[in-house]
Amino acid sequence: MSDHVTSLDSGVADASINRLMIGSEDHKRRFCRMLLDTFDPYKPAVIAWPKLGADALQRLTSLPFWDIAVQTEGYASARVRAMADAIADPLLKEAVQLNAFEEGRHKLVLEHMIRFYGIKLAPEPIYHAPRDAEWAFIRTGYGECFDSFFAFGLFQMAKDSGFFPPELVEVFEPVIQEEGRHILFFVNGVAWNRVQKSWPGALCFRLRGLAALAAGAWGRLALARAVDGGKGGDNFVVAGGDALTVDMTPRKFIETCLRENDRRMERYDAQLLRPMLMPFLAKLALRFMKK
């Protein structure tokens, strides 16, 4: 297998701009240091939540995805932590541990906000460590690749439309950007890990990745079908999309997602692989949409 070529079934694209060898020690160092060196030490407990007017508070508390949002981060933290526990390589372990910490911190941000604004939630499940850490990790990672692409667009639309006050939008900016770092770290970690394996192991790993992609896509379609009838699942983007995309055409929404995805990815090492499956599918969909 070429060191420079990856395929859409892994959700990544060729990034050999300066001949970075995918799977090399330099590659591992770069994607791990990307995550570790861009850590933002903000503390959820000291966030100054802005006071909202009656209309803004009603919009916030009536959104249908807060249960799912909290559970998404709870499951992600447990799954990524289990993966970190299974890793022997010191640098990679440190980076995955940070990833797990940040997922848990996202949950804390949501919990502090929910308490501050008096949002009612259903009882939470228990977030057990998964039996198969690798499967849980890759499924979570590919799920975040789906969710983050649309979350980037939804966040920008909420900002541009004034759906949320600017002060509240700014509180969540670090959280949204961290999701960009996570998916960048994930797709590089998957590509690096595959190169470390023998060809039978690499084939098995690739098949697991395809299965994880399929499971993530199916889960999001199922949630989209069920969202009018109730809450559930392991992501919240489709659950809240209708509330934030009022008066926006599908084409404009997809274009916003593509633009925001590019903007958020461009600040990181250009030699690292980028998540490419969702941008590819989005551009393909645009070909069949009216301008």
Side-chain angles (χ1 to χ4, degrees):
M1 181 174 62
S2 168
D3 287 334
H4 298 302
V5 179
T6 59
S7 60
L8 286 173
D9 62 26
S10 68
V12 300
D14 181 16
S16 55
I17 297 172
N18 292 315
R19 307 300 295 175
L20 175 65
M21 296 293 289
I22 303 304
S24 66
E25 282 296 304
D26 186 40
H27 180 215
K28 182 187 71 177
R29 181 186 61 80
R30 282 176 178 269
F31 71 78
C32 288
R33 293 307 333 165
M34 178 280 300
L35 193 72
L36 294 166
D37 293 346
T38 57
F39 173 67
D40 184 340
Y42 69 87
K43 298 182 183 301
V46 299
I47 290 175
W49 296 101
K51 185 176 181 181
L52 303 180
D55 289 345
L57 183 61
Q58 172 61 26
R59 287 195 297 272
L60 180 72
T61 58
S62 64
L63 287 173
F65 53 53
W66 296 124
D67 300 87
I68 300 170
V70 171
Q71 292 177 29
T72 295
E73 302 298 351
Y75 283 121
S77 179
R79 293 166 181 171
V80 178
R81 190 182 308 114
M83 187 71 243
D85 291 342
I87 293 173
D89 181 280
L91 179 60
L92 191 58
K93 187 181 189 75
E94 181 184 5
V96 177
Q97 285 174 332
L98 178 63
N99 190 345
F101 169 80
E102 291 180 350
E103 297 289 4
R105 188 170 60 172
H106 293 175
K107 184 173 183 290
L108 287 176
V109 170
L110 290 170
E111 288 173 341
H112 282 286
M113 182 203 72
I114 285 163
R115 284 196 295 271
F116 186 85
Y117 294 117
I119 299 171
K120 304 299 183 183
L121 297 184
E124 284 189 69
I126 298 174
Y127 305 109
H128 295 292
R131 296 179 181 177
D132 185 337
E134 182 182 77
W135 166 252
F137 180 73
I138 60 176
R139 182 171 179 180
T140 297
Y142 283 127
E144 286 196 332
C145 289
F146 280 108
D147 295 341
S148 295
F149 178 78
F150 292 116
F152 295 156
L154 289 171
F155 185 78
Q156 186 61 37
M157 287 157 44
K159 184 177 182 179
D160 292 343
S161 67
F163 188 90
F164 294 133
E167 298 83 2
L168 186 59
V169 172
E170 287 305 311
V171 169
F172 280 97
E173 172 59 31
V175 175
I176 299 298
Q177 191 58 41
E178 279 178 351
E179 294 295 356
R181 291 165 58 254
H182 292 174
I183 61 174
L184 188 63
F185 174 76
F186 172 75
V187 295
N188 281 274
V190 165
W192 181 85
N193 195 9
R194 190 169 57 239
V195 174
Q196 309 312 306
K197 299 179 181 294
S198 63
W199 76 262
L203 176 61
C204 180
F205 189 73
R206 184 181 292 274
L207 291 174
R208 296 197 96 192
L210 287 170
L213 273 172
W218 179 257
R220 279 142 188 81
L221 288 172
L223 180 56
R225 290 193 298 268
V227 70
D228 288 336
K231 301 174 184 178
D234 63 353
N235 80 97
F236 62 92
V237 171
V238 295
D242 287 345
L244 298 178
T245 56
V246 176
D247 298 326
M248 174 168 281
T249 65
R251 183 180 187 88
K252 186 175 180 182
F253 172 56
I254 291 177
E255 289 174 341
T256 301
C257 292
L258 284 166
R259 184 170 59 252
E260 283 301 296
N261 181 76
D262 289 344
R263 183 178 71 84
R264 290 185 179 277
M265 292 293 111
E266 70 182 2
R267 66 184 68 184
Y268 302 115
D269 188 343
Q271 296 186 71
L272 294 177
L273 303 173
R274 264 49 179 174
M276 289 299 295
L277 180 59
M278 288 308 300
F280 170 80
L281 293 176
K283 290 174 184 177
L284 184 64
L286 286 177
R287 295 184 182 182
F288 300 95
M289 292 182 178
K290 294 181 180 180
K291 294 185 177 180

